[in-house]
Amino acid sequence: MFGALSHGTLDGMPASKTARERARAELTREIKDEARRQLGEVGPHGLSLRAVARELGMVSSALYRYFPSRDHLLTELIIDAYNEIGEAAERADDPSAAPRDRWLRIWAATRDWAKRNPHEYSLIYGSPVPGYQAPQDTITPAGRVALALVRVMESADLAPAMPGPPLPVELAEQARKVQTALGTSLPEADLVRLMTAWTHLFGAISFELFGQYANTADPADAYFAYTAGQSAAFVGLP
């Protein structure tokens, strides 16, 4: 579900080595910036290392030394996007605030990031890229927003869920896997409440970005704020 580069001479490392590292980091950044620009034009399915190299005035063989394949480049872009949206959510959180306010702040920041970075958002929450399978490296970054929300729920005295049937065995088992993956002691039923709110609110963001609220909740500011508040009540936040 859900490295710092030194600007001086490192101990025991010659200055020329550090300069090469800085140059490599700068070119890596330029490659990824150009790839992000192309995402807006052709989408992730059309991303091409040759096209990126051409726009940067590089030969393809030189670019392959940085990214051996398109999938390697996509993975880096996906990790960057997950980390950026996760950082936005974490920065918005204020542990001294009331749990409900923390929840609302996190979701507002998540939506704001998505609106500022629609192509990166689409890369991580849009349609899967044909032929691409995300590696394990993406799992930890992908969980940062979820972990921010889990910390809010862990800090609160949650209200009981609405009356209803017990969790199906299969769903309870899936919730336990999420529990393990996120390293939380939240009960399975509360995690399912979180998963439900997560799906609803990310769905609302996607609907807004992809133009599905035309002639209904457009602009979606009031609708999203209302929905985020209702979801806070749904997961039991006071």
Side-chain angles (χ1 to χ4, degrees), residues 98-103 152-153 155-159 229 232-233 235-238:
R100 180 185 177 89
D101 290 338
R102 294 175 65 187
W103 175 273
V152 174
M153 293 179 66
S155 74
D157 184 12
L158 299 177
V235 300
L237 294 175

Side-chain angles (χ1 to χ4, degrees), residues 95-147:
S96 67
R100 180 185 177 89
D101 290 338
R102 294 175 65 187
W103 175 273
L104 296 178
R105 291 179 186 186
I106 289 170
W107 278 113
T110 299
R111 174 178 176 252
D112 287 346
W113 183 90
K115 292 180 68 176
R116 291 194 307 270
N117 303 275
H119 304 305
E120 288 84 352
Y121 177 88
S122 180
L123 178 64
I124 55 178
Y125 291 115
S127 299
V129 181
Y132 173 80
Q133 184 171 1
Q136 292 289 110
D137 294 354
T138 62
I139 293 177
T140 298
R144 291 179 66 171
V145 176
L147 280 171

Side-chain angles (χ1 to χ4, degrees), residues 60-76:
S60 299
S61 58
L63 191 144
Y64 289 137
R65 291 199 293 269
Y66 292 81
F67 296 99
S69 69
R70 182 211 65 164
D71 285 3
H72 283 84
L73 179 54
L74 274 177
T75 295
E76 286 293 315

Side-chain angles (χ1 to χ4, degrees), residues 1-214:
M1 154 179 165
F2 334 86
L5 180 66
S6 173
H7 292 286
T9 302
L10 299 178
D11 292 341
M13 183 180 293
S16 59
K17 174 70 172 180
T18 304
R20 286 197 298 271
E21 288 181 344
R22 288 201 299 268
R24 181 178 181 86
E26 176 63 20
L27 185 51
T28 299
R29 182 189 65 77
E30 292 180 5
I31 292 169
K32 291 198 287 187
D33 284 348
E34 174 58 28
R36 292 188 189 97
R37 188 190 68 79
Q38 292 193 21
L39 284 178
E41 295 183 351
V42 299
H45 60 283
L47 186 63
S48 161
L49 286 183
R50 290 183 179 274
V52 171
R54 183 171 59 250
E55 290 298 320
L56 294 176
M58 299 173 62
V59 295
S60 299
S61 58
L63 191 144
Y64 289 137
R65 291 199 293 269
Y66 292 81
F67 296 99
S69 69
R70 182 211 65 164
D71 285 3
H72 283 84
L73 179 54
L74 274 177
T75 295
E76 286 293 315
L77 297 179
I78 288 169
I79 289 173
D80 285 352
Y82 275 132
N83 278 327
E84 287 176 15
I85 197 171
E87 287 168 9
E90 291 160 1
R91 283 196 305 269
D93 188 16
D94 178 4
S96 67
R100 180 185 177 89
D101 290 338
R102 294 175 65 187
W103 175 273
L104 296 178
R105 291 179 186 186
I106 289 170
W107 278 113
T110 299
R111 174 178 176 252
D112 287 346
W113 183 90
K115 292 180 68 176
R116 291 194 307 270
N117 303 275
H119 304 305
E120 288 84 352
Y121 177 88
S122 180
L123 178 64
I124 55 178
Y125 291 115
S127 299
V129 181
Y132 173 80
Q133 184 171 1
Q136 292 289 110
D137 294 354
T138 62
I139 293 177
T140 298
R144 291 179 66 171
V145 176
L147 280 171
L149 297 168
V150 162
R151 285 191 287 268
V152 174
M153 293 179 66
E154 287 175 336
S155 74
D157 184 12
L158 299 177
M162 293 182 293
L167 295 180
V169 173
E170 182 179 8
L171 180 56
E173 176 60 29
Q174 291 168 339
R176 281 191 289 273
K177 291 179 181 178
V178 173
Q179 188 181 58
T180 300
L182 294 178
T184 180
S185 59
L186 283 176
E188 289 90 346
D190 289 337
L191 281 171
V192 171
R193 286 200 279 178
L194 173 58
M195 291 164 60
T196 302
W198 168 278
T199 303
H200 184 84
L201 287 168
F202 267 110
I205 293 171
S206 296
F207 258 50
E208 181 179 7
L209 262 59
F210 303 149
Q212 298 301 315
Y213 285 139

